[in-house]
Each structure stands twice: as C-alpha cells, then as structure tokens.
Amino acid sequence: MNKSYLTPKEVAQSWIDIGRNKVGYSFKNVFFLALLGGFFIGLGGHGYLVVSQTLSSIDVGLAKFMGAAVFPVGIMLVVFAGGELYTGNALIASAWANGEVKLSQFIKNLMIVYFANLVGALILVFILYKSGLYTGHLAEKTVALAEAKSSLTFTAAFMRGILCNVLVAIAVYIQVASTDVAGKIFALWFPVMLFVLSGYEHSVANMFFIPMGALLGANLEWSQVILNNVIPVTLGNLVGGGGFVALIYWFVYVKGSKK
C-alpha cells in the first residue's frame, strides 16, 4: 500500500537531496526559473491588492482575510509549474549543514535567485503599470502599502522577515510530505495565507509591491527603502527559513538520527 505522506524524518532527508539538486542546476536554468518565481509571486501580490482594496469598503477584516487567501496562488505556481524563490531556497541550508553543499554554492544560488526574482517581479510591475489597471482605489492601496513598508524600522522589518519565512519556508518544506496535488495545495495555502494575514514581510513580494507603489507616485526615498526594508527583510527571511526551519529540522531528524 502506497503512503499518502512522508514522515518528518523522510521530509528532512528529502530536503537534503533537493538542496543538492538545486545547486547543481545550470546558471541559465536557475536564472529563468527564478525569474518566473518573482513573476508568479508578483501575480499573487496583484491578486492580494485587487481583492483587499475591493472589499475594504465593506469590512477591513474580511478584506485582509480574502486578500491573504488569494496571495498563496503565487507560491502554488512556483511549486507546481516550476520556479525558484529566494525564500524557499533558504531551505538549502539543510543540505549545506549535512555537508552535501558547499557554503559558496549555497550563497551563489541565493544571489542568482534573488537577482532573478527581482527581474521577474519588475517585468510584471512594468506590464501591469502599462495595462492601465492601477487606477483609483487600487492605486491608492498600492501607494499606501509601499510607503508603509518603507517606513518600518530596521528591527521591525527584520523580525517580520523572520516570521514571514518561518511560515513560507515551512509551507514549501511540508508540501514535500504529501504525494498528491490536493495535499500539497493545503500544505502551501494555510501557512502562506497566515503570513499575509499577519502582516509579515516577504522580500520577493516586496520586489513587486514597492516598485509598483513607486511608479504610482509613492513618496519614497530609495536609501530608506533599502535600509528599512530590503536589507532587514532579506536577512530576516534567510534566518527564518534557513535557521528556524531547515537547520532545526536537520539537527533533529538527520544529525540527531545518526547518534
């Protein structure tokens, strides 16, 4: 009888293999898959903005929840269609901890994926901006969100980045446990929905939200954006996904099992 899911120990071992495979991709494949990753997450972000601003006049709580419910479509596209995401690739830390991947390979992969995520997100920003869809309340919502993100303190952004990728990385991590599409969808949807609903910070999603807000006239200082959001959220996401998820589960289920 075939198992419908993997045990936590089997999932931890699977991520060592996945991490080793990811750093083995060619530059071309990593770049284009990561470009799609940034584009797909941006699509999820667009859906969030459309839904939340539409319902905001009815009920703020409902608007937040429904927007959060739509956003996970982006990460589902990344997982099922194929894509590379900086926040998800933080999980390669387990393969590095196990000696399967060199630190230089890990860092190189994250740098390529991060840059290509940005390119993909900016392509979507340009297309949507030129589409004429961002007018009225949608434009106002986007501008307000971009300004709010750039006004965070370094500490607040860093902590929100950690919390965000504990949830996003765990979603990507546990979907491996399911052997069917429906199980993977549920594994991805709930944690990602929770991160959006909670107001945490995702570095790749912000590659879409902040530039779109800037094009629409948000009052931004780019030095402030970089210092108050880009750097702390990027670092926080790495700590949340690589430290709290990948390394802890590796320590418990892989390293611990060797004793």
Side-chain angles (χ1 to χ4, degrees), residues 39 44 162 195 199 201 214:
F39 193 92
I162 292 175
F195 115 67
E201 293 290 312

Side-chain angles (χ1 to χ4, degrees), residues 2 59 68 110 175 225 239:
N2 293 329
D59 183 88
L110 289 181
Q175 59 84 24
V225 170
V239 172

Side-chain angles (χ1 to χ4, degrees), residues 19-100:
R20 184 176 61 248
N21 290 336
K22 281 181 177 292
V23 299
Y25 294 165
S26 68
F27 173 85
K28 177 185 69 176
N29 287 351
V30 172
F31 181 86
F32 283 109
L33 287 173
L35 184 151
L36 287 174
F39 193 92
F40 291 154
I41 293 299
L43 287 175
H46 171 68
Y48 162 81
L49 289 169
V50 171
V51 172
S52 58
Q53 68 84 26
T54 301
L55 295 175
S56 59
S57 61
I58 300 174
D59 183 88
V60 175
L62 177 63
K64 286 185 66 176
F65 175 74
M66 292 306 296
V70 171
F71 183 87
V73 172
I75 201 161
M76 291 177 193
L77 292 174
V78 172
V79 170
F80 293 122
E84 294 289 296
L85 207 58
Y86 168 80
T87 45
N89 281 23
L91 293 170
I92 296 174
S94 60
W96 164 71
N98 208 51
E100 305 285 335

Side-chain angles (χ1 to χ4, degrees), residues 10 27 46 53 58 74 85-86 98 104 107 123 165 177 188 222 252:
E10 289 171 330
F27 173 85
H46 171 68
Q53 68 84 26
I58 300 174
L85 207 58
Y86 168 80
N98 208 51
S104 59
I107 294 173
I123 290 173
N165 215 30
L188 291 166
W222 284 105
V252 173

Side-chain angles (χ1 to χ4, degrees), residues 34-36 38-39 115-125:
L35 184 151
L36 287 174
F39 193 92
F115 175 72
N117 283 165
L118 176 61
V119 173
L122 292 179
I123 290 173
L124 180 64
V125 166

Side-chain angles (χ1 to χ4, degrees), residues 99-245:
E100 305 285 335
V101 168
K102 295 179 181 178
L103 182 60
S104 59
Q105 292 176 302
F106 183 25
I107 294 173
K108 178 182 177 182
N109 179 272
L110 289 181
M111 291 177 65
I112 295 170
V113 170
Y114 189 88
F115 175 72
N117 283 165
L118 176 61
V119 173
L122 292 179
I123 290 173
L124 180 64
V125 166
F126 176 78
I127 293 171
L128 285 173
Y129 179 72
K130 290 296 185 179
S131 72
L133 291 170
Y134 276 74
T135 59
H137 293 306
L138 180 57
E140 293 172 6
K141 167 74 175 180
T142 307
V143 167
L145 183 64
E147 290 178 348
K149 287 179 176 294
S150 67
S151 65
L152 295 171
T153 65
F154 186 99
T155 300
F158 179 70
M159 296 304 176
R160 294 184 195 189
I162 292 175
L163 292 169
C164 166
N165 215 30
V166 167
L167 290 170
V168 174
I170 202 66
V172 176
Y173 185 88
I174 64 175
Q175 59 84 24
V176 171
S178 177
T179 58
D180 63 81
V181 173
K184 290 180 180 292
I185 288 175
F186 279 110
L188 291 166
W189 188 81
F190 283 100
V192 175
M193 177 275 293
L194 182 58
F195 115 67
V196 180
L197 185 64
S198 300
Y200 302 148
E201 293 290 312
H202 189 276
S203 57
V204 181
N206 288 352
M207 294 173 184
F208 170 77
F209 290 131
I210 296 177
M212 180 59 81
L215 282 179
L216 295 170
N219 182 22
L220 302 176
E221 291 287 341
W222 284 105
S223 59
Q224 183 181 15
V225 170
I226 292 171
L227 291 175
N228 291 3
N229 192 285
V230 175
I231 293 175
V233 173
T234 299
L235 293 174
N237 286 169
L238 182 58
V239 172
F244 279 84
V245 178

